[in-house]
Amino acid sequence: MPKLIRPLPRLTARRRLLQGAAGTLAAAALPAARAQAWPARSIRLVVGFAPGGGTDIVARALAPRMSEILGQQVVVENRAGASGTIAADLIAKSPADGYNLLVGHSNSNAIAPFVFPRTPYDPGADFTPITYIGYVPNVLVVNPGVPARTVPELIALAKNQPGVYTYASSGVGSTQHLAGALFSQLAGIRLTHIPYKGSGQAIVDLLAGQVNMNFDTMPPVLEAARSGKLRALAISTPQRLAQLPDVPTFTEVGIRGFDVTNWYAIMGPKGLADDIVAKVDDAVQKAMADPSIRPKLEAQGVQFGGARTPAEFSGFIRAELTKYAKLVNELGVKAE
């Protein structure tokens, strides 16, 4: 007589339960595993201006150390044009996976929406603020061929020849553009604006005498000012800087209310995960504090401090948007 094989329903059900629980736990662990794996490949750090400008100089100073800290190469990519908005739009529309980052700038992330009739992104909603790097002052520099050694002398020349003297900028709606327009308003003169796609070519033409002056940031003009290839007349810091100790502030030369500076930051597309934000922020902070890097940035006039956390940086951006909405409206600066 054959033996009866009785089913074991309870054991089978238990196995199914255990198998299901294991599957659930495995599925739940996948996002955490993906997050822990970041970064698993190289990271693109996009600069909205041509090589040689202040933004590019800062990005290339930080990228090597960030690569070491994150364990993956941070590649600087230049996407110049439209005052940095081409690069900003690229990142705004990129996947929020941590592999596409922007060197945020006051031009593209605070000024552009009030200058251009259509900005293809919302600077307040389409980005994840990560790290505020700092700001660099604007320096009024003139070609040595301009017969003015002081700001009052420059103002006198411009008043005698309205519209004849020209100033370069890294693009329409850039801080250099606003600085020139604001200076003209405060000084009661008329200058002609010549926009470029970045500071690099603007400085080349300024050195060649094809334009008369610029209100550029310190990094691309510092050595030329020190060597006498350009003449620095005023700087937009509250006090004089050690890098250019003989250059007075705008306040010292009688130009009050000159509040335009270039700030730099690291930003990602909206929706970037908090853990990735924390890792990028940590890498940038460590890179800025590195004794082999920080002095190089300070030598270029980068002013550190303020907006130290991603949350503080978010508040800073809101304040900048309010500030430039008012300033652009008062100056009547619009892209044609």
Side-chain angles (χ1 to χ4, degrees):
M1 182 175 181
K3 294 182 179 180
L4 293 176
I5 302 176
R6 296 180 181 179
L8 301 174
R10 292 183 182 177
L11 185 59
T12 302
R14 187 179 175 216
R15 280 178 183 163
R16 288 175 181 169
L17 181 62
L18 289 173
Q19 288 172 354
T24 301
L25 289 172
L30 284 176
R34 282 196 292 265
Q36 289 173 358
W38 186 92
R41 54 187 169 87
S42 62
I43 300 161
R44 178 170 63 164
L45 182 60
V46 180
V47 172
F49 304 92
T55 315
D56 182 69
I57 290 172
V58 170
R60 293 183 187 278
L62 295 174
R65 184 70 182 106
M66 289 176 63
S67 299
E68 294 174 0
I69 295 166
L70 293 171
Q72 294 289 345
Q73 187 175 12
V74 176
V75 181
V76 177
E77 180 178 316
N78 298 85
R79 291 294 186 97
S83 295
T85 59
I86 292 174
D89 185 46
L90 174 67
I91 295 303
K93 292 177 171 59
S94 293
D97 55 11
Y99 296 104
N100 301 280
L101 303 175
L102 174 72
V103 182
H105 192 284
S106 42
N107 289 357
S108 56
N109 295 90
I111 300 172
F114 310 113
V115 173
F116 293 96
R118 288 189 190 87
T119 303
Y121 55 85
D122 183 338
D126 290 343
F127 299 92
T128 299
I130 301 174
T131 303
Y132 174 80
I133 295 172
Y135 79 92
V136 289
N138 290 77
V139 186
L140 168 53
V141 289
V142 299
N143 181 278
V146 175
R149 294 191 167 275
T150 65
V151 169
E153 289 178 2
L154 179 64
I155 292 173
L157 289 172
K159 283 185 175 179
N160 288 333
Q161 297 176 288
V164 171
Y165 285 91
T166 58
Y167 71 97
S169 81
S170 62
V172 174
S174 64
T175 52
Q176 294 100 312
H177 181 191
L178 289 188
L182 182 58
F183 176 78
S184 299
Q185 182 189 78
L186 296 173
I189 59 176
R190 181 160 61 88
L191 302 173
T192 297
H193 174 225
I194 309 295
Y196 289 81
K197 288 187 177 181
S199 291
Q201 189 58 47
I203 297 303
V204 169
D205 281 6
L206 177 60
L207 289 166
Q210 295 186 36
V211 287
N212 300 126
M213 69 190 83
N214 198 339
F215 296 80
D216 214 322
T217 57
M218 274 187 61
V221 302
L222 183 58
E223 291 308 314
R226 283 172 169 169
S227 66
K229 293 179 181 178
L230 294 175
R231 185 181 301 135
L233 301 186
I235 192 167
S236 66
T237 43
Q239 293 85 31
R240 295 192 186 197
L241 291 185
Q243 294 89 339
L244 293 171
D246 297 328
V247 179
T249 67
F250 279 95
T251 301
E252 285 183 86
V253 298
I255 304 298
R256 302 183 183 280
F258 191 89
D259 183 21
V260 179
T261 57
N262 285 272
W263 50 260
Y264 305 128
I266 303 298
M267 312 178 81
K270 68 178 179 182
L272 198 59
D274 290 345
D275 59 328
I276 294 178
V277 169
K279 287 181 180 179
V280 176
D281 178 49
D282 178 67
V284 177
Q285 296 292 346
K286 287 178 178 176
M288 288 195 296
D290 191 295
S292 68
I293 296 174
R294 191 177 184 92
K296 294 178 182 178
L297 295 175
E298 289 174 337
Q300 294 292 332
V302 177
Q303 308 294 297
F304 297 100
R308 293 184 180 278
T309 68
E312 290 172 342
F313 181 29
S314 296
F316 171 80
I317 290 176
R318 289 193 294 271
E320 286 289 283
L321 288 168
T322 300
K323 165 187 165 181
Y324 282 113
K326 180 181 178 182
L327 182 59
V328 169
N329 182 62
E330 289 176 351
L331 295 175
V333 173
K334 293 292 180 183
E336 296 180 358

